Amino acid sequence: MSERRFRHGVVVGKFYPLHAGHAHLIRSAVRACERVTVEVIAASIESIPLERRAAWIREGHPTVRVVDLVDDTPVDFGSETAWDAHTATIRGLLDEPVDAVFTSDDYGAELARRLDAEWVQVDPGRVVNPVSGTAIRRDLAGHWSELSPATRADLAARVVVLGAESTGSTTLAEALAAELGTLWVPEYGREISVTREGGLDAPWRSDEFDLIVDRQMEWERDALRRVPVPVLVCDTDVLATALWHERYVGTVADRIHARAAAHRPALYVLTGDEIPFVQDGMRDGEHIRADMQDRFRAVLAAQPVPWLEVRGSVAERLAAALPAVRTAVARWTAFEAPLEGRPLAEQEALRRRAAG
């Protein structure tokens, strides 16, 4: 890359998803320019929300100006009309003219010409970073190391193991995580049961369950940024916490159910209550287990996330759960084809549909 310093450079992309090659491109622009604008331009048909892509860039590259826009204009590098439309969009997102356009692909030459700027090609042929959005969308797990922690956290699937007391949910969560080669998140409610004022003997307050939800989600967010593969196993979640609120406070907490609805996993695995009850000093007792298990079944049946109940030994439960887990993770981590990857007729139809 030229040693010349530019005043204002631009990087344009879908970042679908953001990967190491994009990061190298943006860093190259930052090193060469006094200021850099990164334009995130997505199509409405794509499955990663625009705001999440912009957030990834802001976290990883805090010195750049990030702007974003949904644009369903068909992508046709052979069309003057399409070029005019896309150039107008790109120019419209700038707060001042640019004198450098940074790309890896060859379209940058024409874009730079239209913006009266110099083209800076970074890593032509992707020699330094042999990765692309297309390759990642085709095989997310195989390119997991190419993604930033923030990107991983948004793309990884969560599998939640839950159940009434002494149904083996923690044991199964650990076994699932080991089999999948990933992390698992323990249940914060067990920790607070010991550390809260009054311990297990004091009546539970409703607001304590909000704290449990906050802390459980914080543990999840931290683990999601560190998972070595695109799946995280959780021993309980917000929905389970809402049910335990019913048990210990005696009322339905609509606010917690609302948080659960906004934080749905890829799959629920309910552990069966056919195994012997073991009193570990923190459990209510076997007399309430069947009723709680029935409540779990009813709530799971009424919500949209796929779920299954597993019974038997740990090995039998694991064998029953794994096919459903793999199917759910594959569904969760699938991408809609990007706009430019579709035939022009389909692109035009999508544009008309998005325009209403």
Side-chain angles (χ1 to χ4, degrees), residues 240-261:
T241 303
L243 300 189
W244 290 116
H245 181 284
E246 293 180 20
R247 165 73 184 96
Y248 290 113
V249 180
T251 60
V252 174
D254 289 337
R255 69 187 186 280
I256 299 179
H257 279 281
R259 293 184 71 178

Side-chain angles (χ1 to χ4, degrees), residues 26-192:
I26 295 170
R27 287 195 301 269
S28 297
V30 168
R31 285 193 295 267
C33 302
E34 294 176 12
R35 63 187 300 256
V36 173
T37 295
V38 177
E39 297 188 1
V40 186
I41 302 178
S44 58
I45 193 65
E46 294 160 359
S47 48
I48 301 177
L50 181 65
E51 62 271 15
R52 294 311 311 151
R53 305 186 212 184
W56 298 338
I57 297 171
R58 290 190 178 101
E59 177 176 317
H61 308 276
T63 65
V64 307
R65 173 178 177 259
V66 181
V67 291
D68 55 67
L69 179 73
V70 172
D71 181 16
D72 290 314
T73 303
V75 179
D76 182 1
F77 291 118
S79 166
E80 186 71 15
T81 300
W83 264 113
D84 287 344
H86 287 294
T87 304
T89 296
I90 292 166
R91 185 180 283 113
L93 290 173
L94 296 171
D95 59 351
E96 63 175 3
V98 295
D99 56 347
V101 172
F102 292 78
T103 72
S104 292
D105 296 325
D106 292 342
Y107 76 84
E110 178 62 16
L111 178 59
R113 185 186 71 79
R114 289 170 174 268
L115 293 176
D116 297 319
E118 183 173 329
W119 177 39
V120 181
Q121 189 174 26
V122 178
D123 191 18
R126 296 189 174 93
V127 175
V128 175
N129 291 285
V131 65
S132 67
T134 301
I136 291 172
R137 291 190 297 271
R138 187 181 301 120
D139 181 12
L140 182 64
H143 296 88
W144 195 243
S145 63
E146 304 285 354
L147 306 178
S148 71
T151 308
R152 294 180 194 178
D154 280 344
L155 297 184
R158 287 182 302 112
V159 172
V160 175
V161 183
L162 73 182
E165 290 182 327
S166 191
T167 58
S169 60
T170 299
T171 300
L172 182 60
E174 289 186 87
L176 268 176
E179 181 68 24
L180 297 168
T182 192
L183 307 178
W184 71 283
V185 178
E187 181 183 2
Y188 177 68
R190 288 184 64 85
E191 178 176 310
I192 196 175

Side-chain angles (χ1 to χ4, degrees), residues 271-285:
T271 45
D273 60 346
E274 83 289 356
I275 61 177
F277 185 90
V278 177
Q279 178 56 264
D280 64 357
M282 298 182 65
R283 293 167 175 159
D284 284 343

